[in-house]
Amino acid sequence: MSKLTHLDETGAANMVDVGDKADTTRIASASGCVIMLPQTLELILSGNAAKGDVIGTARLAGIMAAKKTADLIPLCHPLMLSKVSVEIVPDEALPGLRVQATVKLTGKTGVEMEALTAVSVACLTIYDMAKAVDKAMIISNIMVDSKTGGKSGNWQRP
């Protein structure tokens, strides 16, 4: 197992120095879901939620969140992202909404945290906009699905 990179020799938290790393294209995708009552899903899909367009608002919230990751996660580097996409699709089998975010840049550090932050905030926004009708919604299974680029290379969830 590799050692933790955000701890110095004394065990104190520190920001990793990425200054000497090569710029490479890096892409990360993450996903998660919001499980809800079938009636809540229908309300959202019909466009009749009291707070407005749940899916559109959650998509924008996720994109904005990815851009603010360094402000939220203490040891993340501020990054110049070149692309953030957030897709939200209904899944009647849950029932609920599946959220996937993909983040891209050319730089010295990966974008897994930005993808996870986008998914998390999109899911939180869905909850916020629909909680008046379904307080029992569950935000679940937030995870990195894949990453490319950098010294550690490519990784895909099995």
Side-chain angles (χ1 to χ4, degrees):
M1 179 181 243
S2 301
K3 71 176 194 138
L4 298 174
T5 58
H6 287 79
L7 300 177
D8 68 14
E9 58 281 347
T10 69
N14 71 324
M15 185 181 248
V16 174
D17 181 358
V18 297
D20 293 333
K21 292 172 97 178
D23 283 344
T24 63
T25 299
R26 297 160 184 266
I27 302 169
S29 291
S31 61
C33 63
V34 182
I35 302 166
M36 60 192 63
L37 294 171
Q39 307 90 289
T40 307
L41 179 59
E42 177 56 36
L43 181 71
I44 291 169
L45 296 178
S46 71
N48 292 321
K51 289 190 176 183
D53 179 5
V54 174
I55 293 173
T57 303
R59 182 179 300 110
L60 285 173
I63 292 167
M64 291 171 64
K67 298 183 328 184
K68 291 292 193 178
T69 300
D71 294 333
L72 300 169
I73 310 296
L75 300 177
C76 284
H77 294 83
L79 302 176
M80 290 293 297
L81 305 177
S82 59
K83 179 174 177 54
V84 178
S85 66
V86 176
E87 300 300 323
I88 302 171
V89 296
D91 183 343
E92 292 182 11
L94 285 173
L97 296 168
R98 293 197 179 273
V99 179
Q100 181 170 29
T102 302
V103 181
K104 179 181 178 183
L105 65 61
T106 300
K108 298 175 182 298
T109 189
V111 288
E112 297 93 335
M113 293 308 300
E114 287 71 15
L116 287 166
T117 301
V119 168
S120 298
V121 171
C123 289
L124 288 168
T125 301
I126 292 165
Y127 184 92
D128 178 56
M129 293 187 73
K131 70 182 183 275
V133 296
D134 189 355
K135 289 178 180 37
M137 287 179 286
I138 299 169
I139 295 171
S140 181
N141 296 332
I142 296 174
M143 66 188 91
V144 174
D145 296 321
S146 64
K147 58 96 40 196
T148 63
K151 187 172 71 172
S152 66
N154 300 345
W155 179 84
Q156 179 80 39
R157 181 165 298 284

